[in-house]
Amino acid sequence: MNIVQKRLLTGGFSWINFTRRLGPVSFSTKPEPLPSAPRTTSTPSAPTTTSSTSGGSSERKSIVPPDYRFVYQEFLPDPKIEWRNPIREKLERLDMLDRRANIDIPEFYVGSVVAVTCSDVHAVGKTSRFLGICILREKCGLRARFILRNVVDNQGVEVMYDMYDPTLLKVEVLRLEKRLDEHLLYLRDALDEYSTFDLNMEAEILPEGAPVPVNDVKVTLKPRPWYARWERHNLAGVANVDEHTNEKKARKAARVATPWERYDLMKQYRRTIPDEEQKEIFAEVYSQLHQLELTRKKLKRKRTFVKPTKLA
């Protein structure tokens, strides 16, 4: 038994306490590193880096134009919480970007005159084209759709299209404008002159950078019966609702009216997507959408200077 074993047996606890006081002992032959200088807390580099990082992210988010929420409204998810699924929404946005890379879907609103060409196995040439005024845009994601209305041979015709339907071949905006209401479903009960458009209508090109005009025309409704009780919808684009509304119908409309809802902040919050989430979504798809916009502007600039084939 050597001296170390004897010491461990006789005074082991004191030896262990002694080694604990000394701390971990290393028997390496490498030279010990020099002690580093104490870290100072007053260095301006750390906050500058964090501030630049946070500022850079805020700058990247601020690059997204504020009108994207209206131009590309289908990229925003449904505000109902029970219908939300972040994974599905992200996959849908990727599919929508891929679809927009194959077909040009220009900017249009309710009230714009749009022409859609789609594949149709029953039509001559396997394609069909319909032109009309957009009276409704609804839903979001890959389920986004819109309705076009036109009067053909004194008969109102409406066609509903899915915006990201793979059978769509071409979408043309012949007249870009807005209306006073969110939908124009009341054109079904209006005079035919407000829904009649020439099927061979030529495109009206706005100057680059010009704001989207707002058409403040007020339509005239036909006598009842109507598609809906328009006196209860508080419409700004209808001129003669009161002419076809008697006292009884006016009292019922006043009874079911809810004017206090515009002051209900929680209800408005549940019906919309928060601005922070909107910025995150559009920052994710901004680069590809911006590239598609540049390509569309180049094509629009070429169409502007095309010489007419026939001279007057």
Side-chain angles (χ1 to χ4, degrees):
M1 183 179 295
N2 55 18
I3 299 174
V4 177
Q5 292 176 350
K6 290 180 180 180
R7 292 293 301 272
L8 288 174
L9 293 175
T10 56
F13 291 102
S14 60
W15 176 259
I16 294 173
N17 294 335
F18 178 71
T19 55
R20 286 177 179 174
R21 293 173 185 174
L22 289 178
V25 181
S26 61
F27 298 96
S28 176
T29 57
K30 296 181 180 180
E32 296 183 358
L34 297 176
S36 59
R39 185 176 297 178
T40 57
T41 58
S42 61
T43 56
S45 59
T48 305
T49 305
T50 55
S51 63
S52 64
T53 305
S54 61
S57 61
S58 62
E59 290 177 359
R60 285 196 297 270
K61 292 182 181 179
S62 63
I63 291 177
V64 180
D67 61 342
Y68 264 39
R69 57 180 298 185
F70 305 107
V71 179
Y72 305 102
Q73 57 183 352
E74 68 274 6
F75 280 88
L76 296 178
D78 195 286
K80 292 186 179 181
I81 300 178
E82 60 270 18
W83 291 356
R84 296 295 303 275
N85 189 334
I87 298 178
R88 175 182 57 79
E89 294 166 2
K90 187 175 182 63
L91 294 176
E92 285 187 354
R93 286 195 292 269
L94 295 177
D95 291 343
M96 292 158 67
L97 291 174
D98 292 341
R99 180 59 182 158
R100 282 182 173 269
N102 296 323
I103 181 175
D104 181 21
I105 303 178
E107 170 189 3
F108 69 96
Y109 304 91
V110 172
S112 302
V113 180
V114 184
V116 177
T117 304
C118 63
S119 60
D120 187 0
V121 296
H122 304 288
V124 179
K126 304 300 181 181
T127 59
S128 62
R129 184 176 184 269
F130 184 78
L131 180 147
I133 182 173
C134 180
I135 62 174
L136 180 66
R137 285 189 63 175
E138 60 179 356
K139 297 191 177 184
C140 57
L142 293 176
R143 300 173 302 282
R145 61 188 185 184
F146 58 96
I147 300 178
L148 301 182
R149 176 179 174 83
N150 199 350
V151 176
V152 182
D153 295 336
N154 299 325
Q155 180 67 37
V157 181
E158 294 183 1
V159 182
M160 178 184 295
Y161 295 100
D162 291 331
M163 188 173 295
Y164 294 95
D165 189 354
T167 60
L168 297 186
L169 302 178
K170 191 176 183 181
V171 180
E172 306 171 80
V173 177
L174 305 181
R175 180 184 298 168
L176 181 62
E177 64 181 12
K178 298 179 181 179
R179 289 296 183 95
L180 300 176
D181 299 307
E182 296 180 354
H183 65 85
L184 300 179
L185 295 178
Y186 52 80
L187 290 181
R188 298 171 177 175
D189 299 319
L191 300 177
D192 293 344
E193 61 186 39
Y194 298 104
S195 303
T196 305
F197 300 92
D198 187 8
L199 296 177
N200 298 321
M201 176 180 176
E202 296 183 358
E204 301 175 4
I205 301 177
L206 293 175
E208 186 175 352
V212 180
V214 179
N215 191 347
D216 56 354
V217 62
K218 294 189 176 183
V219 304
T220 303
L221 298 180
K222 300 177 183 178
R224 293 177 185 268
W226 290 341
Y227 170 77
R229 300 171 181 175
W230 301 122
E231 69 275 4
R232 302 185 181 184
H233 289 258
N234 193 18
L235 300 172
V238 181
N240 62 336
V241 174
D242 297 336
E243 296 180 5
H244 304 285
T245 304
N246 53 24
E247 296 181 2
K248 182 179 180 180
K249 295 183 182 298
R251 286 196 303 268
K252 288 184 178 180
R255 192 181 306 123
V256 300
T258 55
W260 58 84
E261 285 190 356
R262 59 179 178 177
Y263 304 107
D264 192 347
L265 300 181
M266 287 303 300
K267 193 166 187 178
Q268 295 178 9
Y269 177 79
R270 290 191 295 266
R271 289 180 176 177
T272 56
I273 302 296
D275 293 340
E276 296 79 7
E277 189 172 355
Q278 291 186 20
K279 292 179 181 179
E280 292 179 1
I281 292 174
F282 287 122
E284 175 186 345
V285 300
Y286 169 73
S287 59
Q288 299 188 35
L289 291 178
H290 182 62
Q291 187 64 32
L292 294 174
E293 286 181 355
L294 295 179
T295 305
R296 188 184 306 118
K297 287 181 180 180
K298 290 180 181 179
L299 296 176
K300 182 179 178 181
R301 198 175 297 114
K302 290 181 180 180
R303 291 196 302 265
T304 306
F305 296 100
V306 171
K307 294 183 179 180
T309 56
K310 296 181 180 180
L311 299 178

